[in-house]
Amino acid sequence: MITAFLIKYGEIGIKGNNRYIFEDALVRQIRHALYGIDGGFKVHKESGRIYATATESFDSEEVIAALQKVFGIVWICPVEEIEDKGFDDLSDHCIRFLKESYPDGTFSFKVQARRGRKNYPMDSMEINAELGGRILDAMPNTHVDVHHPQVLLQVEIRNKIYIYCKEIPGPGGMPVGTAGKAMLLLSGGIDSPVAGYMISKRGVQIEATYFHAPPYTSERAKQKVVDLANEVSAFAGPIRLHVVNFTEIQMAIYQKCPHDELTIIMRRYMMRIAEELAKKNNCLGLITGESIGQVASQTMPSLLCTNAVCTLPVYRPLIGMDKQEIINISEKIGTYDTSIEPYEDCCTIFVAKHPVTKPLLHVIERDEKKLDGIEEMVQKAVDTEIVISCGHEIPEE
Ligand code: ATP
Ligand code: MG
């Protein structure tokens, strides 16, 4: 019977001191993922492995789905955890475990034992051979195949003994919290939640900024962004969502600047404000959902103009992706249905009929000079931000 999950992770880049940072972050994210799931899981690390052990009954499918959201996990192995009560007891457990896992009893197999402690009375080779023999005796329709076994029975001998024969792929990546923090510009669209997901996959913790323009954008549109932040946080951990009132700035741009430049100038102010909030909150970069050529504001000349206001690096993980590829990821991570809810975004309301696709930076900068008092408006927008905590906290053990 499955009683625990053994978590295997990649070893690249986690030598020396980095190792415990990586492992501790992974343990923390696993606790976060298993929070609120039945099973009363205890998570601990032991020499190159992490174990999540149940103290109550649980639903395997649900646990595996939760673990598949934890970046840094390479393999998830449902294990039976047993006490060391001698070799006879171990082999009885292994035979019963195989019978439960493969009820028809017809398969080729190989035993692979590992000793995490050297005081076990048999070495790995002896365990493999002896256990293999006993399985063959007890299950006459099996045979050994050391090169391409259908079933690889793994036995890890540590303080306890873990037996398993299934390895389910995890999401890979790096545990969130191992790579610093970045500020995601999160709109209600399809792209930006995917962008946040992709950067957090590299271990980056995320904060988010949303620009709304009440009363032109509704409370419901804001709630949609909160919902998206909650959905992304299933992967990224808790997200602080900064909600910035953009109405005054947007109106000023609308009144003073050429309409074909609205989106570019608006985007430049969003970047400026997001960068200020990023710096205040120790973020090392910005993240957007931009992709070359997707819309007028994302042509290369437009991106040049937007980027020109930033001093922090801007991470654009979707830059080379087609819309359909982005949609596929958003469906996979479960943000798509929320993203297509039909609530107005501030950019869709103040949009020009014929936006420039080849803006010139010096022209944009000249036209921005028409915005009297803009610095005060920016300051006010920053000062009046509201922070909403999305996702649940990470439980302590
Ligand atoms: P998305 O699907 O993420 O909304 P989009 O295809 O609608 O992207 P744009 O509206 O041009 O593209 O926005 C480009 C990027 O600018 C977005 O991916 C997002 O990072 C940022 N952005 C746009 N609008 C907002 C907003 N209201 N609040 C915060 N960030 C925004
Ligand atoms: Mg958008």
Side-chain angles (χ1 to χ4, degrees):
M1 194 182 69
I2 302 303
T3 54
F5 293 83
L6 183 167
I7 308 297
K8 294 182 176 177
Y9 46 89
E11 305 273 321
I12 300 158
I14 56 163
K15 303 227 164 61
N17 251 353
N18 288 336
R19 181 180 197 97
Y20 83 91
I21 295 172
F22 183 102
E23 289 173 336
D24 289 352
L26 190 51
V27 166
R28 202 170 55 236
Q29 292 305 116
I30 292 171
R31 284 185 185 141
H32 177 260
L34 295 178
Y35 178 81
I37 284 180
D38 286 348
F41 281 94
K42 301 272 179 236
V43 184
H44 79 283
K45 59 175 179 172
E46 192 178 330
S47 49
R49 297 275 193 254
I50 290 171
Y51 299 91
T53 305
T55 57
E56 299 158 16
S57 66
F58 60 90
D59 171 356
S60 261
E61 303 278 310
E62 185 186 30
V63 175
I64 290 165
L67 292 172
Q68 283 180 319
K69 294 195 167 95
V70 180
F71 297 130
I73 295 181
V74 177
W75 296 106
I76 302 159
C77 312
V79 299
E80 178 160 328
E81 185 187 58
I82 59 174
E83 301 291 339
D84 179 7
K85 292 184 186 159
F87 187 75
D88 288 340
D89 183 70
L90 170 61
S91 69
D92 289 349
H93 272 290
C94 288
I95 289 161
R96 189 191 30 72
F97 185 75
L98 284 175
K99 285 182 173 169
E100 276 169 16
S101 305
Y102 299 94
D104 88 348
T106 306
F107 52 81
S108 63
F109 74 96
K110 171 182 171 180
V111 178
Q112 185 175 298
R114 253 185 232 99
R115 288 188 313 164
R117 58 182 164 89
K118 300 298 170 199
N119 62 355
Y120 196 77
M122 297 159 79
D123 71 20
S124 310
M125 299 297 280
E126 288 167 338
I127 299 169
N128 292 345
E130 185 58 31
L131 211 45
R134 293 198 189 192
I135 292 166
L136 285 172
D137 289 345
M139 303 180 76
N141 289 332
T142 62
H143 65 276
V144 172
D145 180 344
V146 291
H147 298 297
H148 302 288
Q150 287 165 320
V151 176
L152 179 66
L153 178 70
Q154 305 199 57
V155 178
E156 299 212 356
I157 298 176
R158 301 185 185 264
N159 285 332
K160 298 196 174 169
I161 300 178
Y162 301 87
I163 54 184
Y164 59 102
C165 54
K166 289 187 180 154
E167 295 192 324
I168 298 151
M174 304 283 282
V176 171
T178 54
K181 197 159 64 162
M183 180 65 80
L184 169 67
L185 282 86
L186 182 63
S187 68
I190 293 169
D191 306 327
S192 44
V194 173
Y197 161 85
M198 288 182 67
I199 296 297
S200 78
K201 184 169 185 212
R202 298 308 305 161
V204 178
Q205 191 191 337
I206 302 244
E207 296 212 11
T209 302
Y210 167 59
F211 296 91
H212 74 153
Y216 302 100
T217 61
S218 62
E219 195 55 29
R220 194 60 194 76
K222 181 176 105 187
Q223 185 57 42
K224 174 181 169 182
V225 177
V226 172
D227 293 345
L228 285 169
N230 276 316
E231 287 162 9
V232 174
S233 81
F235 299 88
I239 295 177
R240 279 159 38 87
L241 175 66
H242 303 260
V243 178
V244 174
N245 187 321
F246 203 55
T247 313
E248 195 180 22
I249 296 171
Q250 197 147 30
M251 291 306 287
I253 299 172
Y254 192 70
Q255 283 157 8
K256 306 265 174 59
C257 300
H259 281 193
D260 61 349
E261 293 171 1
L262 284 182
T263 311
I264 298 289
I265 296 179
M266 221 169 63
R267 197 71 83 234
R268 280 162 59 88
Y269 280 98
M270 285 185 182
M271 292 297 239
R272 286 187 176 102
I273 292 170
E275 177 163 299
E276 193 158 331
L277 293 174
K279 287 178 175 166
K280 262 192 179 172
N281 292 283
N282 305 316
C283 295
L284 304 174
L286 303 176
I287 306 166
T288 74
E290 291 159 312
S291 150
I292 293 177
Q294 194 188 77
V295 286
S297 57
Q298 297 175 32
T299 62
M300 290 194 46
S302 298
L303 288 167
L304 183 152
C305 292
T306 315
N307 201 66
V309 298
C310 302
T311 60
L312 288 177
V314 182
Y315 296 100
R316 298 179 173 91
L318 313 184
I319 199 70
M321 294 175 79
D322 296 342
K323 193 73 188 188
Q324 190 57 48
E325 295 176 285
I326 301 168
I327 289 174
N328 293 349
I329 300 177
S330 83
E331 284 176 333
K332 185 182 85 181
I333 67 176
T335 53
Y336 183 73
D337 289 342
T338 309
S339 288
I340 60 171
E341 288 173 6
Y343 305 107
E344 294 291 354
D345 181 43
C346 55
C347 319
T348 47
I349 291 167
F350 294 91
V351 77
K353 281 206 181 64
H354 300 290
V356 278
T357 53
K358 294 191 185 91
L360 293 168
L361 184 57
H362 70 272
V363 176
I364 298 287
E365 285 172 346
R366 182 197 67 201
D367 290 338
E368 273 181 3
K369 296 221 169 67
K370 297 171 186 158
L371 295 166
D372 312 316
I374 188 75
E375 287 316 318
E376 290 71 26
M377 291 180 217
V378 166
Q379 199 49 52
K380 188 166 143 204
V382 169
D383 291 343
T384 58
E385 62 142 348
I386 289 167
V387 177
I388 300 175
S389 295
C390 298
H392 61 80
E393 288 304 307
I394 297 178
E396 295 291 329
E397 185 147 285

